[in-house]
Amino acid sequence: MVKAEGVHKSFGAAHILKGIDLEVAPREVFCLVGPSGSGKSTFLRCINHLEKVNAGRLSVDGELVGYRQRGDKLYELKDSEVARKRRDIGMVFQRFNLFPHMTAIENVMEAPVQVRGEARAVARARAEKLLDRVGLADKAGNYPSQLSGGQQQRVAIARALAMEPKLMLFDEPTSALDPELVGDVLDVMRGLAEDGMTMIVVTHEMGFAREVGDALVFMDDGVVVESGHPREVLTNPQHDRTKSFLSKVL
């Protein structure tokens, strides 16, 4: 579903990603862990072309991200083409980014109506089902300010699912939540995994990675240091840097 080949990304003189190579299979829950500043979130944003790579290739479901190849050359797609392809990739951020002037159900309906031109009645019916799926059917008429952080994040997940994506990206979705609210969000993500959604999850929740993840990559300083099955990496890390990191977070 996702293939990265020698991906590099710099911001000015700061070299953030230094040749990332990895593959994510369909229906796989792929966890990215590592210290802050290691490049995890930047890589996630490159997958849907929120950030442009400086070198290397990224493809989703067999198609290059943000570019078209002609012969040996890559040509950047127009913004409208990038946006069209981005519809297939849902993203959930650390901060919920809900529209504050819209109710929960209006937040979930907005993209299908505005981006796909879907009839409001059809979008509302799907939004009702999605809010029920994330345990918030009774909060459909509430505004974000009337919801807890965990509830807002679950609305954000429902909003991403409303576009029926083939891939979901999660950028530390529980890091901004109070500890007692984390479980509800992780339960929703477990449900998505059980339904076969392909997911790439940047997380500090090692328990989730161990229980739900199919593959785990430990990143540091812009490179993949170690990868494998989550239980193997977390219980028997091979690299000294991985051992040092896990000794502080487990």
Side-chain angles (χ1 to χ4, degrees):
M1 180 61 77
V2 178
K3 186 174 184 178
E5 303 170 272
V7 171
H8 288 257
K9 174 63 183 177
S10 297
F11 295 101
H15 197 177
I16 307 301
L17 300 177
K18 304 172 181 176
I20 301 295
D21 294 291
L22 56 80
E23 293 186 16
V24 180
R27 303 175 67 88
E28 192 169 53
V29 179
F30 192 97
C31 297
L32 287 172
V33 304
S36 297
S38 59
K40 308 182 302 298
S41 295
T42 298
F43 177 69
L44 212 63
R45 292 171 66 85
C46 288
I47 293 173
N48 62 5
H49 208 58
L50 287 176
E51 300 290 353
K52 301 175 184 178
V53 302
N54 298 117
R57 299 160 64 93
L58 259 173
S59 58
V60 173
D61 201 19
E63 294 189 12
L64 286 171
V65 174
Y67 298 90
R68 179 183 291 109
Q69 184 165 353
R70 291 180 188 160
D72 294 332
K73 291 186 177 181
L74 295 181
Y75 297 88
E76 189 168 1
L77 298 177
K78 296 178 182 177
D79 289 345
S80 59
E81 293 178 277
V82 172
R84 189 161 53 248
K85 291 178 178 293
R86 196 180 283 144
R87 296 177 194 176
D88 292 331
I89 305 173
M91 187 156 184
V92 179
F93 300 87
Q94 293 180 41
R95 298 290 173 179
F96 326 120
N97 295 337
L98 298 178
F99 298 115
H101 62 290
M102 293 183 179
T103 63
I105 196 166
E106 288 169 345
N107 266 280
V108 178
M109 291 170 57
E110 183 70 1
V113 171
Q114 297 299 330
V115 177
R116 292 206 305 215
E118 208 167 77
R120 292 190 68 83
V122 174
R124 176 173 286 273
R126 185 189 299 110
E128 288 173 349
K129 291 179 181 178
L130 288 170
L131 287 175
D132 183 54
R133 183 178 184 178
V134 299
L136 293 173
D138 60 333
K139 302 293 184 182
N142 288 43
Y143 289 91
S145 62
Q146 299 170 316
L147 302 173
S148 70
Q151 290 169 337
Q152 290 185 60
Q153 191 62 295
R154 284 186 277 156
V155 172
I157 293 173
R159 180 178 62 178
L161 292 172
M163 291 295 283
E164 301 178 315
K166 63 179 71 170
L167 169 67
M168 284 284 285
L169 308 177
F170 292 87
D171 188 6
E172 298 188 26
T174 60
S175 65
L177 303 179
D178 292 333
E180 61 186 330
L181 303 176
V182 168
D184 290 338
V185 173
L186 294 181
D187 285 344
V188 170
M189 294 170 65
R190 285 188 184 91
L192 292 178
E194 290 168 2
D195 290 344
M197 174 63 74
T198 308
M199 300 160 61
I200 303 180
V201 185
V202 173
T203 185
H204 294 300
E205 300 290 340
M206 299 302 164
F208 174 85
R210 183 187 294 109
E211 296 164 26
V212 183
D214 299 301
L216 182 144
V217 157
F218 171 68
M219 285 179 62
D220 187 37
D221 195 27
V223 300
V224 173
V225 176
E226 190 165 343
S227 62
H229 191 278
R231 290 191 184 91
E232 294 174 4
V233 176
L234 295 175
T235 58
N236 189 30
Q238 300 300 302
H239 196 284
D240 287 343
R241 182 64 187 96
T242 317
K243 293 175 183 177
S244 174
F245 174 78
L246 293 177
S247 70
K248 295 178 175 66
V249 300
L250 291 178

